[in-house]
């Protein structure tokens, strides 16, 4: 048997998959394929949370001989000739890929409705979106089809669907996990991370996939002084805990946004007003946030209100940088080297034009245009370089609270941490509707405020369920200093001890 296939597995999955459509490719019957690879030194308990279990992989992450559509019509029939390092490390531990999951095209979106391949529904309410862009991975875990899945997070794409579907979603520190085999959208912001059914499983999977990979020069080993993932405390100064958690309250966010805009340009004040409105938490999300705050207080943490002054510039800076990098990264899709091409073209330019016109969806085209605009000569200072300065400011704001990074030798550098993590919302709404009651594309982007700052700063953040309100899960987020995933997951695990993960109706626990 390829993996421990529990009684009734096939019927259970077929039923769910008909309802939610999480997978672009679904191959639970593949013969066992233990892939040779580096033997990892995981504690036996951790390895047992991965070995001989099935997992799903977002379809912008390469797995040899599986499709790699990236949710795009342009790549609808493209199969990968190689496997991403993160997936390979899990396979080497005896886990088996049983399918590739749906996503917003190239990771651009917050609903998975921007997929050019199919639609995915939220397991809690199939009329709603699963979130995005890793919506298929989140839905598959929430439904219990797989115990864990790989996703990617450029501006919130693991944490937001995890919140919408009621699972744990970890976006690691930039560089902690190899990006080899992740199809590039915005390379300086994104990384591969984990969606899973418990904090313990999230920790085990992260432990398996992290670390330097010679195939990705931006990947690095875990610094010597970083808090350990397993085992109590650490001798290094970075291992110390403060017992303090910062809270970025909805009021603090509203204050930050209230004085945004007003730069005088036409439409700017109006845009700022709409953005502030879109970032306001719906009452159910506010209740979930309060529940998480009280839970942490009851667990003995000292809570301290924080302000992040640079927050108001996060979304514009994120979309400027993400679009700029996307326009460069997506230039490779020309119909010559990859993917679907038209049957007839007049000349090479016509071939490229026709390939892209037919292959890319609206959102992707919009971002390529935006990216080429902000990179136009003469405009770079005004947009791209300014966004990079904002980015540095955001990181500095977080480091002032959370402590600095590490030097080349892995020693803790910068100031000592004032707090272990910052608690903040994930998204202003629960899983939203389709059709007329859907969030507008602009509102969806403005709502990325709470997630995109971790990507701009390169810091780790984890989203986990705080409550169920009106039949839909609400998630909250903890953000920490670089390489503090161990601290964040300790906190999630403590919360899980008093509030275990909720499950959608019809869920059966198949995985030990
Ligand atoms: N919603 C964000 C975007 O559309 C985040 C996407 C992501 O993290 N891949 O860019």
């Amino acid at each position: 048997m390829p993996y421990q296939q529990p009684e009734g597995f096939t019927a259970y999955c077929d039923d769910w998959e008909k309802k939610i459509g999480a997978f672009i490719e679904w191959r639970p019957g593949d013969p066992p394929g233990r892939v040779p690879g580096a033997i990892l030194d995981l504690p036996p308990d951790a390895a047992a949370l991965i070995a001989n279990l099935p997992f799903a992989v977002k379809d912008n992450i390469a797995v040899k001989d599986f499709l790699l559509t990236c949710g795009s019509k342009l790549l609808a029939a493209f199969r990968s000739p190689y496997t991403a390092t993160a997936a390979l490390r899990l396979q080497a531990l005896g886990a088996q890929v049983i399918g590739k999951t749906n996503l917003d095209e190239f990771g651009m979106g917050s609903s998975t409705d921007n997929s050019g391949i199919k639609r995915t529904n939220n397991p809690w309410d199939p009329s709603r979106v699963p979130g995005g862009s890793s919506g298929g991975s989140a839905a598959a875990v929430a439904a219990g089809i797989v115990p864990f899945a790989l996703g990617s997070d450029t501006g919130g794409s693991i944490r937001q669907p995890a919140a919408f579907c009621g699972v744990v979603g970890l976006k690691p520190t930039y560089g902690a996990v190899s990006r080899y085999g992740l199809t590039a959208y915005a390379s300086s912001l994104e990384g591969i991370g984990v969606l899973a059914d418990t904090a313990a499983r999230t920790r085990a999977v992260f432990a398996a996939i992290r670390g330097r990979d010679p195939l990705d020069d931006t990947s690095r080993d875990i610094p010597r002084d970083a808090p350990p993932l397993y085992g109590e405390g650490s001798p290094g100064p970075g291992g110390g805990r403060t017992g303090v958690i910062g809270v970025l309250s909805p009021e603090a966010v509203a204050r930050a946004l209230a004085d945004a805009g007003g730069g005088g340009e036409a439409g700017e004040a109006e845009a700022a007003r709409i953005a502030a409105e879109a970032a306001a938490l719906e009452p159910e999300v506010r209740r979930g946030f309060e529940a998480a705050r009280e839970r942490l207080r009851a667990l003995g943490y000292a809570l301290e209100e924080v302000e992040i002054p640079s927050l108001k510039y996060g979304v514009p800076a994120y979309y400027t940088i993400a679009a700029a990098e996307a326009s460069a990264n997506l230039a490779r899709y020309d119909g010559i080297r990859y993917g679907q091409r038209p049957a007839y073209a007049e000349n090479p330019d016509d071939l490229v034009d026709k390939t892209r016109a037919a292959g890319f969806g609206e959102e992707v085209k919009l971002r390529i245009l935006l990216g080429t605009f902000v990179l136009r000569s003469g405009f770079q200072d005004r947009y791209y370089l300014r966004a990079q300065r904002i980015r540095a400011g955001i990181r500095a704001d977080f480091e002032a609270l959370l402590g600095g990074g590490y030097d080349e030798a892995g020693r803790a550098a910068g100031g000592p941490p004032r707090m272990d993590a910052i608690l903040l919302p994930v998204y202003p709404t629960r899983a939203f509707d389709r059709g007329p009651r859907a969030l507008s594309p602009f509102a969806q982007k403005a709502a990325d405020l709470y997630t995109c700052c971790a990507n701009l700063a390169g810091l780790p953040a984890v989203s986990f369920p705080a409550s169920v309100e009106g039949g839909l899960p609400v998630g909250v987020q903890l953000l920490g200093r670089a390489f503090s995933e161990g601290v964040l997951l300790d906190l999630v695990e403590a919360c899980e001890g008093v509030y275990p993960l909720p499950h959608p109706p019809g869920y059966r626990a198949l995985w030990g």
Side-chain angles (χ1 to χ4, degrees):
M1 197 152 46
Y3 46 87
Q4 301 158 355
Q5 218 176 69
E7 253 320 281
F9 172 75
T10 317
Y12 180 80
C13 294
D14 283 352
D15 276 2
W16 265 116
E17 184 55 10
K18 262 190 229 116
K19 244 189 285 180
I20 60 175
F23 288 88
I24 287 176
E25 188 171 22
W26 169 240
R27 284 169 35 181
D30 277 9
R34 184 177 279 266
V35 180
I39 304 298
L40 285 158
D41 195 17
L42 282 193
D45 290 0
L49 294 172
I50 298 170
N52 304 318
L53 290 172
F55 71 109
V57 179
K58 184 177 181 179
D59 206 23
N60 62 349
I61 300 171
V63 179
K64 189 173 170 4
D65 299 332
F66 276 81
L67 286 173
L68 183 58
T69 68
C70 301
S72 182
K73 286 198 175 70
L74 202 147
L75 296 171
F78 181 72
R79 285 193 183 273
S80 175
Y82 72 99
T83 300
T85 301
L88 196 61
R89 289 187 181 175
L90 294 165
Q91 289 175 322
L93 281 165
Q96 178 135 351
V97 180
I98 61 166
K100 300 297 296 292
T101 51
N102 200 16
L103 67 154
D104 292 301
E105 190 173 3
F106 292 106
M108 299 179 188
S110 308
S111 63
T112 305
D113 277 356
N114 291 347
S115 169
I117 308 288
K118 67 186 290 192
R119 163 175 156 167
T120 296
N121 300 325
N122 191 306
W124 291 78
D125 174 353
S127 70
R128 291 173 188 258
V129 303
S133 63
S134 311
S137 284
V141 173
I145 295 174
V146 286
F148 64 92
L150 292 181
S152 66
D153 193 309
T154 311
S157 278
I158 287 176
R159 290 160 285 156
Q160 187 256 26
F164 277 21
C165 292
V167 301
V168 182
L170 172 69
K171 172 237 174 279
T173 308
Y174 186 77
V177 176
S178 168
R179 281 184 294 117
Y180 181 70
L182 169 64
T183 310
Y185 154 26
S187 319
S188 79
L189 297 162
E190 68 202 358
I192 292 178
V194 187
L195 297 107
D197 60 355
T198 57
R201 184 117 49 204
T202 307
R203 190 192 299 267
V205 175
F206 173 62
I209 64 177
R210 70 180 178 157
R212 162 130 184 102
D213 173 15
L215 298 170
D216 171 10
D217 271 330
T218 62
S219 68
R220 59 178 289 190
D221 275 321
I222 307 311
R224 198 191 65 189
D225 282 351
L229 265 186
Y230 291 98
E232 288 301 303
S234 116
R241 305 281 212 274
T242 63
V244 179
I245 292 176
V247 178
L248 185 69
S249 68
E251 293 74 23
V253 175
R255 275 197 298 279
L257 292 175
D259 57 295
E265 279 189 45
E268 210 173 293
E270 172 69 355
R273 190 188 58 75
I274 301 174
E277 217 173 87
L281 303 191
E282 65 173 7
E284 292 84 354
V285 172
R286 191 180 270 264
R287 273 206 293 279
F289 188 77
E290 292 310 322
R293 185 207 301 244
E294 285 320 305
R295 214 164 280 143
L296 286 164
R297 196 196 305 281
L299 285 164
Y301 291 95
L303 304 183
E304 196 182 299
E305 298 276 331
V306 299
E307 307 266 339
I308 312 281
S310 55
L311 201 72
K312 55 178 171 288
Y313 305 120
V315 169
Y318 168 75
Y319 275 96
T320 301
I321 296 169
E325 292 184 13
S327 73
N329 276 326
L330 270 57
R332 73 193 56 171
Y333 302 108
D334 52 15
I336 296 166
R337 285 168 293 182
Y338 302 95
Q340 316 287 81
R341 65 165 84 161
Y344 173 80
E346 289 288 335
N347 54 48
D349 280 347
D350 188 40
L351 174 70
V352 175
D353 285 355
K354 284 192 169 130
T355 298
R356 293 180 178 162
F360 287 148
E362 292 301 306
E363 185 65 30
V364 173
K365 287 176 185 163
L366 173 74
R367 295 193 193 199
I368 292 173
L369 288 175
L370 183 62
T372 47
F373 176 81
V374 300
L375 290 176
R376 253 177 65 180
S377 74
F379 278 34
Q380 291 183 6
D381 276 0
R382 195 160 157 195
Y383 298 112
Y384 189 71
L385 297 179
R386 202 160 142 209
Q388 293 291 15
R389 280 196 296 276
I390 291 170
R391 181 176 195 173
I394 289 176
R395 186 173 178 120
D397 276 357
F398 280 122
E399 286 189 344
L401 299 168
L402 294 163
Y406 304 88
D407 65 16
E408 282 297 307
R411 280 185 302 259
R418 268 178 52 200
M419 43 193 62
D420 292 341
I422 296 172
L423 176 73
L424 68 167
V426 182
Y427 206 73
T429 68
R430 295 162 300 156
F432 49 82
D433 269 312
R434 298 191 160 89
R437 282 188 300 162
L439 279 190
S440 76
F442 184 82
Q444 285 183 38
K445 291 184 176 73
D448 284 340
L449 164 85
Y450 299 99
T451 47
C452 72
C453 287
N455 304 76
L456 287 165
L459 299 176
V462 60
S463 117
F464 59 103
S467 67
V468 175
E469 306 286 341
L472 294 171
V474 174
V476 291
Q477 186 178 198
L478 284 165
L479 183 152
R481 67 183 180 279
F483 296 99
S484 70
E485 285 85 350
V487 177
L488 298 182
L489 290 168
D490 285 352
L491 290 165
V492 177
E493 223 158 329
C495 290
E496 218 175 86
V498 284
Y499 183 78
L501 245 68
H503 298 296
Y507 172 93
R508 248 176 61 202
L510 296 179
W511 314 109

